[in-house]
Amino acid sequence: MAGNSYGTLFRISTFGESHGAGIGVVIDGCPPGIEIDMDFIQSELDRRRPGQSAIVTQRKEADVVDIQSGIFEGLSTGTPISLYIKNKDQKSKDYSHIADKFRPSHADYTYAAKYGVRDYRGGGRSSARETAARVAAGAIAKTILYAHGIKINAYVSQVGTLELAKDYTTLDLSLTESNIVRCPDAEMAEQMIDYIKDIRKQGDTVGGMVSCVIAGCPVGLGEPVFDKLHAELGKAMLSINAVKGFEYGSGFRSLAMKGSEHNDIFQKAEDGSIHTSTNFSGGVQGGISNGMDIYFNVAFKPVATIMQDQESIDKEGNEAVVTGKGRHDPCVVPRAVPIVEAMAALVIVDFILRQKAN
Amino acid sequence: MAGNSYGTLFRISTFGESHGAGIGVVIDGCPPGIEIDMDFIQSELDRRRPGQSAIVTQRKEADVVDIQSGIFEGLSTGTPISLYIKNKDQKSKDYSHIADKFRPSHADYTYAAKYGVRDYRGGGRSSARETAARVAAGAIAKTILYAHGIKINAYVSQVGTLELAKDYTTLDLSLTESNIVRCPDAEMAEQMIDYIKDIRKQGDTVGGMVSCVIAGCPVGLGEPVFDKLHAELGKAMLSINAVKGFEYGSGFRSLAMKGSEHNDIFQKAEDGSIHTSTNFSGGVQGGISNGMDIYFNVAFKPVATIMQDQESIDKEGNEAVVTGKGRHDPCVVPRAVPIVEAMAALVIVDFILRQKAN
Amino acid sequence: MAGNSYGTLFRISTFGESHGAGIGVVIDGCPPGIEIDMDFIQSELDRRRPGQSAIVTQRKEADVVDIQSGIFEGLSTGTPISLYIKNKDQKSKDYSHIADKFRPSHADYTYAAKYGVRDYRGGGRSSARETAARVAAGAIAKTILYAHGIKINAYVSQVGTLELAKDYTTLDLSLTESNIVRCPDAEMAEQMIDYIKDIRKQGDTVGGMVSCVIAGCPVGLGEPVFDKLHAELGKAMLSINAVKGFEYGSGFRSLAMKGSEHNDIFQKAEDGSIHTSTNFSGGVQGGISNGMDIYFNVAFKPVATIMQDQESIDKEGNEAVVTGKGRHDPCVVPRAVPIVEAMAALVIVDFILRQKAN
Amino acid sequence: MAGNSYGTLFRISTFGESHGAGIGVVIDGCPPGIEIDMDFIQSELDRRRPGQSAIVTQRKEADVVDIQSGIFEGLSTGTPISLYIKNKDQKSKDYSHIADKFRPSHADYTYAAKYGVRDYRGGGRSSARETAARVAAGAIAKTILYAHGIKINAYVSQVGTLELAKDYTTLDLSLTESNIVRCPDAEMAEQMIDYIKDIRKQGDTVGGMVSCVIAGCPVGLGEPVFDKLHAELGKAMLSINAVKGFEYGSGFRSLAMKGSEHNDIFQKAEDGSIHTSTNFSGGVQGGISNGMDIYFNVAFKPVATIMQDQESIDKEGNEAVVTGKGRHDPCVVPRAVPIVEAMAALVIVDFILRQKAN
């Protein structure tokens, strides 16, 4: 109830702070007999890891994952899987300059007000470092999905005002990992990279968009009414640090459309399968998957930590200047791609288990 | 787990189908000693009710709410409150023309695939009629919030391409109920009404946007990590029929902004209270309320039922023509306003109880 | 979280007070396509109903069940099933004599302290009348279990000091319903009936035991660690009004036994099936069913309402005499038999769905 | 849902296997600002630890607890607390002799059937080693309870046929830790110790009883209907390995009593407080605490692992002899005392938080 768990049948509980002993996750409900590939988990973590390229934070964290339970001779046993990532050098840095100050648009003030006590080092629990645990758990979820023929591909579709104005069906999503900004369009990727480098030089940050496509979902996933498939996807995405908006299928565009344009017409293919001629529904109707691609957009605000002096107050309410220090991301979306995929995988695998129980 | 409940400590479970015996809701966790005003609950239902104006469905449903438990001598007792709305004339209509067909962009196909059996009359459980139960429960949530000094105001901010391009702080939200489209700007309201009437004449439908402001929230509501305040708001809104997108605070606009523009600067007022000079955060930081107004937008797609013939298939996969019949909304947003408010109230009251347990 | 729901995937939420409008239950998670036999549900309610025989309360309640949702053309649709039992004559009686007094060993004092406000009429929510809703839901659970070849039989094994000292394997449980005390041993049944009649004449009450056997469970039901099969059974039984103890398999007898006597030896039958030579384990090992009969005992205290004057206090703490009025059970166990069965069925069907999700 | 978590607002999730990397627990919902005393947590673990005396298993496990998150400068921060106990020498031992055999009255067969794959080393997840994690979490729960003036004392009241036939009110529970069997009656303790030593010499094991008293509970804890205080206590106790029965207050004795004997009469003390003259209710009425002592008994079966040859079968169904090896407890109750206390503390602290949310 304190908000550190997600999922109903495939349920993850994360723990750990940015500069505490480590970050971890316990997965309860992973079916038995799944082959757990530690190298794959590590490779997913490496996609999220700081210091991976010239346009992300230059902090050094190897993010080596360790397994504490739930796996025997390479297979999941149906008991809780605990994954742990030890923090490096967590005591080395001096955080006294922000211990009593509230950084603008960070969680410092709200955590202080809610809990009375807080670990201010690097944001403590509110740090996006927590998402490493999600990526680790998401890698196991992806493993299960692959076996069901389900593929999840996220990519960067906008950085600042640079918008990739192409439908995902016209893109080759296998190219996403071919550049450091994770945009499958090479030309746009280059522009985005240049722009982010420029923003960094200004000591500033910028927002961006991650788009995601889930292909191969069977018909029938999602629970109607409150736990609609897209409602859970929305919650999962909005729970990622810095996310400000979510839309699926036709999304915000739909509000200016007419029903006669927007309705997706059912058709039967030669092989007997049912599909729709268009897919404004985004693969979900009445909260339940209809077998078409599920696609959605996630809006990320600009990172709050900037390398400029900012006015603020301290915990006594006195005026105080906050000075950006350390190494931070000028734009989160390149590193957010694997996080969006991980959360999407966790949502879908949970619905698969829920549907099995029907 | 089957998705018909919402909330953790103030938990509602809805039941009922569009053309079954009735629609109802059980509220578990309502604190004892709350004065329950049945007239207020009814007045909220009346805002959602069909047939209320010239621009909504002309179906006749009185939607009279009945109490089955949980209230003694006008006060909640801490035991489950059950509210029930009997359906009128539920057997009178002939639905055989759609019993075997899948209406485009409805839940017919996905329900059939998921459950094997379905109540096809008026959409059965997938009908937006279910939201009457949410509005009834939301009225009790609102009663609790009023006592905490929290006010929730939703309004229509867009219909089709008619966009109310004004910040909510420049509007008088007390005017929302003064016109049938529920737009607080009289001039824009008139245009919207005319447009919806025109759309109806075309036998078509159109999408729209509902905006919502929650004022008076204390600092500290919301649980970090997965159950962030805005993530729950997002899920709650996305669970409403026909919703395609959600954004809060700066929302999708934020992705084209720089950190130096977007950060909200903390200030201390003369009375010692803390606020921010701007509110791009939308009243939520790190998933926790910071005392500023919480505001968000909800995008509704055009209603799927149109008064035009549409191609489709039946459950055997044969081609079939679906003909719009009956009386339907040309645009859902006027009636969606109380639903958005109800869901927002349910989210906030749940977080108040969760925070009490801290 | 307020304790009015039970189950995870087959989840029931009950509502209603003894003398309010009615008693009901919403079942969320019932699989679709189950044939719902309203006559069977009613017949189960008739086994629990007051006034059914000379040894139970002579109150008149027909307990007619009404369906509000979730069933279409006789089949469950996978959406919430709401069952409702209207209370008769709920306003006819005068409860002012106990409105302010705390009846000994009732929930009057604790409810008053916990909630501040309470419906004192007939115990309100704390009345065993709430169990009617469980029996109605349990009938649907039983229907699902029958299709899985699982049978649940409870019976009265002790009334006061009259103990049926026979192992269940030596009894013909089909005889349980052949007498009004629900003891499958005719001779003992007669003694019990006479004894209860005698107790009633004294204006007194007496405790008793219900034993229960679940036959036909597949291997593998139950979740290890906290949600062990027998732990959930224990909770379910202890949640029934007046229950003071629970034991399964060898139960309290086991503590005086040695491991060499108590261990159940595995054997393979000619047909290849695995069983144990003895069944001290009670069909559960490590919290998981092993395919043998699951059997357990439930201890019920004597009913608190007696037809004798008792000292007590009122809500101001003044001394007050409580006088038994109305028509009450001299011993609950005959009517508790279907309640124990219903709760057992709800536990098992929930574990079946949970196991499907593995 | 997979059963590895307990509690609603103060929620623990345990992980780890007997011979895996380690055992741990994540606590979600611990209120902020609690002083966490690592020495106290360790001292509770030492009460449960193997090798602590001549009458328990002589295995060597130091059970040193390590903190991974949730505590900053000695105080809980309101974020998840993760506690971890590394296993020693987990790879040193040869378990091939039981890898394919089903030990009688163990969980080997049911785990194999349920999951298909299992960690057979020392029972894997089904080992009572998991309870170390509960004791660690329980120590934090106890810390919170002490601040509320609530004390929990468990003790051994029976070993085999040696029964401490004294009411707890006549015992000095502060003497429980003064002997290695944890029986507060010195004379009986000596007999029990001798008996257990004798049983060990026989290569056999024996059952026993743990009794527990919770003193100082405020009125109003517990949720009526399904989550009654004693129902949760019952589930919590029955979830401990080897437990076969639970009774509270008058328990199984009550079934032979009359209402006129059994009812507890309310009285007002000179100081205005309300109590009952007797306490057959065991401190709980209608599922809610009434301020009197809560007391209950927990029955433990004899340990299944005996130092004698036993017939069994292997996973192919072939006959096989199981030979007891290693160092095991001849009787679990001395080490079960802190486990019973820990689970009781977890139940009560959860109800305190739930009541705060009312």
Side-chain angles (χ1 to χ4, degrees), chain C residues 10-225:
Chain C
F10 191 94
R11 186 166 178 82
I12 67 167
S13 300
T14 72
F15 59 88
E17 288 87 31
S18 173
H19 288 65
I23 292 280
V25 60
V26 179
I27 305 170
D28 199 15
C30 182
I34 308 292
E35 274 189 60
I36 305 297
D37 181 344
M38 294 303 290
D39 291 340
F40 176 62
I41 300 176
Q42 190 61 55
S43 71
E44 287 290 282
L45 282 168
D46 290 347
R47 292 174 71 206
R48 198 214 72 98
R49 160 174 88 74
Q52 65 182 268
S53 79
I55 58 168
V56 306
T57 171
Q58 297 303 301
R59 233 177 317 122
K60 299 284 178 233
E61 285 276 4
D63 282 354
V64 179
V65 68
D66 212 30
I67 203 138
Q68 292 178 323
S69 69
I71 297 173
F72 186 61
E73 297 177 347
L75 297 179
S76 65
T77 59
T79 63
I81 298 173
S82 176
L83 300 170
Y84 189 59
I85 301 162
K86 224 174 168 166
N87 288 336
K88 306 288 182 199
D89 317 319
Q90 70 266 28
K91 284 165 191 164
S92 63
K93 211 179 151 188
D94 182 17
Y95 276 91
S96 58
H97 65 293
I98 57 160
D100 294 338
K101 294 178 191 170
F102 299 138
R103 291 170 298 163
S105 290
H106 271 277
D108 298 350
Y109 170 59
T110 53
Y111 267 66
K114 185 177 183 72
Y115 297 114
V117 49
R118 75 185 169 98
D119 179 351
Y120 49 77
R121 297 168 305 167
R125 181 72 179 150
S126 72
S127 164
R129 180 149 182 70
E130 182 269 341
T131 57
R134 306 186 188 199
V135 170
I140 293 179
K142 277 186 174 181
T143 304
I144 299 171
L145 295 184
Y146 289 159
H148 282 78
I150 302 170
K151 289 243 155 64
I152 298 178
N153 283 293
Y155 60 95
V156 170
S157 55
Q158 189 167 348
V159 169
T161 54
L162 293 169
E163 187 187 347
L164 178 65
K166 294 181 179 173
D167 192 273
Y168 80 87
T169 55
T170 69
L171 298 170
D172 179 356
L173 298 185
S174 72
L175 300 177
T176 300
E177 295 295 313
S178 65
N179 59 66
I180 58 177
V181 77
R182 296 198 166 91
C183 173
D185 183 287
E187 204 177 325
M188 176 55 78
E190 217 167 309
Q191 291 180 54
M192 287 173 170
I193 292 166
D194 289 344
Y195 182 57
I196 294 174
K197 286 179 177 168
D198 191 50
I199 281 287
R200 158 176 284 158
K201 276 186 207 132
Q202 298 169 31
D204 215 334
T205 60
V206 72
M209 183 123 84
V210 174
S211 297
C212 185
V213 184
I214 307 172
C217 255
V219 191
L221 300 190
E223 299 298 323
V225 188

Side-chain angles (χ1 to χ4, degrees), chain D residues 60-75:
Chain D
K60 299 286 177 230
E61 283 277 4
D63 282 354
V64 179
V65 68
D66 212 28
I67 202 137
Q68 292 177 323
S69 68
I71 298 174
F72 187 60
E73 297 177 347
L75 296 179

Side-chain angles (χ1 to χ4, degrees), chain A residues 13 28 52 72 108 142 173 180 238 248 265 283 300 305 339:
Chain A
S13 300
D28 199 15
Q52 65 181 269
F72 185 61
D108 299 350
K142 278 187 174 180
L173 299 185
I180 59 176
L238 288 157
Y248 81 104
I265 303 305
F300 289 81
T305 302
I339 305 170

